Amino acid sequence: MSRSVSWDLPVPEVARRQPVRFGYEVLRGFAQVDFMPNAACGLFFVAAVFAAGWRYGLAALLGTALGTATAYVLGVDRERIAAGLEGFNGCLVALAFAVFLGPGYVSTWLMAAGGAVVAAVLTAALANLLRPWSMPTFTLPFCLMASVVTVAAPGFQRVWHEGSSLSALPRSASGDSALGAGEVVHAFFADVGQIFLMPQWYVGLLFLLGIFVADWFAGLTACLGSVVGIVTAWGLGAPASDVAEGLLGYNAVLVAMALGAVFLERGVAALLYALVGAAASTVLTVAVTSFFAPFGGHTLTWPYILTTLFFLAAVPSFPRLRRS
């Protein structure tokens, strides 16, 4: 967490430091998508999204900056802003709109900007609602915004375009479930990249490097989560193409990190608990996909939210586990 600027400094000195501090907060907002309040990690994440496409990178930067700026305007606690907690949902909202609505339209950019601002309001609302249970907001603001917009978008001619991404209708599993070595490697990194809706293996690699730069143990849990997601999906006979694209394992990565390295005290028991949660989220991913598909919705990180919420709620019943 960055050190606050002293307001006792001369006004020109304060003004000079403000853009630098805001830049660090935006980078931490990027990194907080994977729980890391670390600007160096955020630099890797920015590079990863731009590697997937410059318009995606620009959308993610816009969303993070607007979410952070909105929090400033609304007077949100400065420590939350400094840690990047007010920017990561805006990042995901803007990026999701670019991916699902097509990045080449003015309407998409207007929706992305407006969505990032609204996500900041939703973050505050959910933080207040969840505070009595000591639960974080997770990526709930992002999921709520993205779900509403993707379901509603086809009803608005100026929002829905030929470049918009349609979700597939529910179908029985089909295709070869055998995974080749190349598909396993691609899936391992794509599981990390799909957290940002990016399936490219090299994008996932950059994200993973950023996590290791911030926290080696969190990087380890991300790797284990990806492995569990792959093994679970393969063991249940999921199509190899879906596994290789990271569509079934990215929630497992988030759950493994959340339970194994972030919200619980670290240890063997917490790590094993996290891996069970990762496997459960892989199954839930398919269920959520089938639930949303008829409405034109997307899976997003709903499986991660639901799994982590229930697994954290169960912790007081397990003496070997403690909230961090």
Side-chain angles (χ1 to χ4, degrees):
M1 187 178 296
S2 65
R3 185 179 60 185
S4 300
V5 174
S6 172
W7 293 102
D8 295 328
L9 292 170
V11 173
E13 181 70 8
V14 172
R16 183 178 67 81
R17 293 191 181 188
Q18 292 310 303
V20 175
R21 182 174 71 176
F22 185 75
Y24 273 97
E25 289 162 352
V26 169
L27 289 175
R28 292 192 187 102
F30 251 90
Q32 280 284 10
V33 174
D34 283 342
F35 316 105
M36 302 291 106
N38 184 288
C41 176
L43 278 175
F44 276 88
F45 283 17
V46 171
V49 181
F50 270 96
W54 69 269
R55 288 184 292 191
Y56 295 137
L58 193 60
L61 272 178
L62 173 69
T64 311
L66 282 176
T68 304
T70 301
Y72 265 112
V73 171
L74 296 177
V76 174
D77 180 74
R78 292 295 177 89
E79 289 191 5
R80 282 186 56 85
I81 298 174
L85 293 171
E86 296 297 323
F88 72 95
N89 278 290
C91 172
L92 289 173
V93 165
L95 186 55
F97 289 177
V99 170
F100 297 138
L101 303 179
Y105 305 97
V106 173
S107 62
T108 296
W109 291 94
L110 293 174
M111 293 288 292
V117 172
V118 175
V121 177
L122 283 176
T123 297
L126 288 166
N128 289 328
L129 289 172
L130 293 171
R131 187 173 292 118
W133 294 276
S134 300
M135 289 291 180
T137 59
F138 306 109
T139 50
L140 263 171
F142 154 62
C143 282
L144 288 170
M145 284 291 300
S147 294
V148 168
V149 170
T150 53
V151 170
F156 300 102
Q157 294 181 10
R158 293 188 177 90
V159 174
W160 196 250
H161 308 284
E162 290 182 3
S164 300
S165 175
L166 290 167
S167 60
L169 292 174
R171 66 191 189 281
S172 298
S174 61
D176 189 3
S177 61
L179 285 169
E183 290 172 313
V184 171
V185 172
H186 191 283
F188 178 80
F189 294 112
D191 283 349
V192 184
Q194 282 284 11
I195 296 170
F196 280 82
L197 308 170
M198 300 291 124
Q200 300 91 338
W201 70 268
Y202 52 88
V203 172
L205 174 60
L206 285 171
F207 283 131
L208 193 57
L209 289 174
I211 297 170
F212 270 103
V213 165
D215 186 334
W216 71 267
F217 188 81
L220 175 63
T221 61
C223 291
L224 291 175
S226 183
V227 171
V228 169
I230 293 169
V231 171
T232 303
W234 170 80
L236 295 175
S241 59
D242 290 349
V243 178
E245 286 296 298
L247 295 174
L248 301 180
Y250 68 96
N251 282 290
V253 173
L254 284 171
V255 170
M257 293 180 68
L259 298 176
V262 179
F263 297 124
L264 299 180
E265 289 185 4
R266 296 178 178 184
V268 174
L271 187 58
L272 293 175
Y273 192 65
L275 297 184
V276 173
S281 72
T282 304
V283 179
L284 187 57
T285 295
V286 178
V288 172
T289 300
S290 297
F291 175 80
F292 275 119
F295 311 103
H298 294 266
T299 312
L300 306 174
T301 54
W302 283 112
Y304 146 66
I305 293 170
L306 294 171
T307 303
T308 307
L309 180 65
F310 281 99
F311 271 64
L312 285 180
V315 165
S317 297
F318 305 134
R320 290 187 174 86
L321 299 173
R322 292 180 182 275
R323 292 285 297 271
S324 59

